[in-house]
Amino acid sequence: MSHTAELIAVGTELLLGNIANTDAQMLSQGLSTLGINVYYHTVVGDNPQRLKAAVELAKTRADLIITTGGLGPTCDDLTKNVLAECFGKKLVFDEGSAQRIRDYFARLHPDRPMTDNNLQQAMLPEGCTIFSNDWGTAPGCAFESGGVRVIMLPGPPRECRAMFRYRAIPYLQDLADGVIVSRTLKLFGIGESAMEARLRDEMQVMTNPTLAPYAKEGECELRITAKAADHHQAISLIAPVEAQLRGIFGDKVYGADIGSLEEAVLALLKGQKKTLGTAESCTGGLIAKRMTDLPGASAVFRGGVVSYSSEIKKSVLGVPADLLDKYGAVSAQVAKAMAEGARRVLGCDLAVSATGVAGPDQDDRGNPVGLVYVALATDKGTYVREVRAGSGRERIRTVASHHAFDLVRRYLTGLLIF
Amino acid sequence: MSHTAELIAVGTELLLGNIANTDAQMLSQGLSTLGINVYYHTVVGDNPQRLKAAVELAKTRADLIITTGGLGPTCDDLTKNVLAECFGKKLVFDEGSAQRIRDYFARLHPDRPMTDNNLQQAMLPEGCTIFSNDWGTAPGCAFESGGVRVIMLPGPPRECRAMFRYRAIPYLQDLADGVIVSRTLKLFGIGESAMEARLRDEMQVMTNPTLAPYAKEGECELRITAKAADHHQAISLIAPVEAQLRGIFGDKVYGADIGSLEEAVLALLKGQKKTLGTAESCTGGLIAKRMTDLPGASAVFRGGVVSYSSEIKKSVLGVPADLLDKYGAVSAQVAKAMAEGARRVLGCDLAVSATGVAGPDQDDRGNPVGLVYVALATDKGTYVREVRAGSGRERIRTVASHHAFDLVRRYLTGLLIF
């Protein structure tokens, strides 16, 4: 399989800027993992002529066209009509899809009758492969015509993601000789340019697996992608590369195929049956929020204190007034006292704290924007780290919370904390 | 000015799915406000041939082409070369831009010399209008050729947004006869479909101003856009429509041209010199995080307690054990006690709480996913609201936090709380 793909998103709401085309991002990531090149994204509105023009052009330069959006029941939804016309297919009624739509409605709205326009969604191109939709009403589909393969997916991001993952990817893999498997190492504590510079020579000579670096908000990723006859063989191509990378980057690698630092921390806490609490100043609740974004956090996360004012650092966390007077709220000493106070007040095994200057202005002691202290209190003592978290309020808070999670991860895996 | 615009984003990172094309969303919103229709978005990689094909096509169907990305110093950055070629322009060296680039570097990296490739950014199409860049190094530019107007903006979203707002919009407005002004009303407490149904008749007959409804995660917006000879006249077209809408939707309108509920709350707290605190269970720090996303929150936000476990509800917030035993953590009674406890412990004028079932599973008392109680404690008593916050962990937490802010807003503006 050596496809050249083009993505066409259909929806006036995209051209008005009501939403961003995140479907294209998600599909591009997935197609890249499958080794399929994407050369163009196009967005058109709910307009048959302009959609037709985009499809006719795509036919001349791609052998895989994936559309998103325009499959629903309202008159705006035109993708199937236009695509069928462009490829000389008739739309035919599919009773199986109609029944699924009726069932979906009965389940979701037991109290009101389904309007007939919903059954338009069961009209599908003759001879297509139907992608049944367990996450909404509009089925997707795929067909091949004149050497071009077409896949149509619904537009709502949640449906599009699920339909791509559970319907389109298996369909594409069935067409391929062999499989494509990838594995993503997640790193914290190294910059993107340092990571890339270290790997430049290796990456240039690698063909299978390939290695792709990514960076976002203070974190880095390395994706290893192998093509092979079967899954087992792909894994055995990936394993030595992973070992080599782990050798190079050591304990900066915090996991493989894992979503985030807080997921790594949650797994470690559960495995070691330890509880966590937080004491937050500049991060203002972000560390607790990230922890509780994860289902199942309640097993190990007890809670936290957002001590945004000095009074609450004193009254709730018991930070001594003289520490605050002498060193100021943004100091290693206060970070330490906050973490220790949270551990005591919340009755947890471990507590992390963050105090710093998120900006836009320096604090009243002249500490610069971006200076943050994070601390971890444990039964073996308290660790403090000084961080320069860059600039921009959001970035500073994000990076500060990364560091708090990194302290917990390093402690629970027995690594040196510095 | 009656432009048809097409957006072309340049960058392989978009085709790999490393980032979403949020520049296109931001530009589309802005162009829509200016009354400019956008018919296509296209994304191409760092490839001269494919970019050239996209530009040649855009020339045939748009009279305004805006490119984003590909203006930087590395060899990947090719937008100016290709656009100049497509429109038969030469690139010429602009000493003013070069000096700005040298100054920017000297300010940002006083310790290391600037490499010469940075000065490539000062090569610009002959006769263009230069958009100086105060947010990065690469200048943008605009020119007209054969009835097509071209604007080139840098790709990084922060730079793109600022350059569009402060350079491209004034440039476009100078071309227009008259001005386009819009004002956005923000609503909470009404669903999108109810809002649209109420306005359908009005919207169909309106031509100037126009009215555009939007919805996102439990909130709604109504954008009023007027075209007129000058700003004063536009405002006088908007004012009666705004008054009419405020009459229809009453206290569901929480502000105009304001970013969010928490911004409205922050302004009210500051105006009335009142302090706020939080007690969060299911929202896990999100309310505090949203509050502290805003610069200047420290003037009125004292802090919060994330009481994710029952122990912390008791030990830190002083929620009576018998309330928890009798009614369970997800109950109006516990929401009330949490808010009152937070107000007492944090020493603030007002305290909000949230306790509910964020899922994925119902709680151990059989309360359904999405059931949330929010409460507001004040010196005049405590208010509690029961909320059905929908499904999906993220949505439930977001909607719950909206309701917490809505309680504060209604209380501080003297509205009925229900």
Side-chain angles (χ1 to χ4, degrees), chain B residues 291-340:
Chain B
M291 203 67 216
T292 58
D293 280 342
L294 305 174
S298 59
V300 294
F301 182 68
R302 289 181 59 93
V305 175
V306 180
S307 56
Y308 214 59
S309 63
S310 287
E311 290 73 37
I312 290 177
K313 291 184 182 72
K314 287 182 271 189
S315 65
V316 181
L317 292 174
V319 175
D322 62 339
L323 275 189
L324 283 160
D325 292 343
K326 190 166 175 192
Y327 302 105
V330 179
S331 61
Q333 291 82 358
V334 168
K336 179 171 183 284
M338 284 170 62
E340 290 170 353

Side-chain angles (χ1 to χ4, degrees), chain A residues 19-23 26 154-163:
Chain A
I19 55 172
N21 190 8
T22 54
D23 287 345
M26 181 274 296
R158 203 179 59 93
E159 290 181 47
C160 187
R161 177 181 294 273
M163 292 284 278

Side-chain angles (χ1 to χ4, degrees), chain A residues 14 37 78 155 171 174 214 287 417:
Chain A
L14 290 157
N37 293 316
L78 49 98
Y171 171 84
D174 277 354
Y214 303 101
I287 301 172
I417 297 181

Side-chain angles (χ1 to χ4, degrees), chain A residues 18 214 292 304 306 393 397, chain B residues 18 43 214 292-293 304 306 393:
Chain A
N18 296 348
Y214 303 101
T292 59
V306 180
R393 195 170 173 89
R397 284 156 51 99
Chain B
N18 296 349
V43 177
Y214 303 100
T292 58
D293 280 342
V306 180
R393 194 170 174 88

Side-chain angles (χ1 to χ4, degrees), chain A residues 15 17-18 20 25 28-29 40-41 43-44 50 57 214 284 288-289 292-293 302-304 306 308-309 312 393 397, chain B residues 15 17-18 20 25 28-29 40-41 43-44 57 214 284 288-289 292-293 302-304 306 308-309 312 393 397:
Chain A
L15 295 182
N18 296 348
Q25 182 187 14
S28 291
Q29 283 175 347
Y40 291 96
H41 299 171
V43 177
V44 291
R50 287 195 280 274
L57 179 63
Y214 303 101
K289 186 256 175 201
T292 59
D293 281 340
R302 291 181 59 94
V306 180
Y308 213 58
S309 62
I312 290 179
R393 195 170 173 89
R397 284 156 51 99
Chain B
L15 295 181
N18 296 349
Q25 182 186 14
S28 291
Q29 284 175 347
Y40 291 96
H41 298 170
V43 177
V44 292
L57 179 63
Y214 303 100
K289 185 257 176 202
T292 58
D293 280 342
R302 289 181 59 93
V306 180
Y308 214 59
S309 63
I312 290 177
R393 194 170 174 88
R397 285 155 51 97

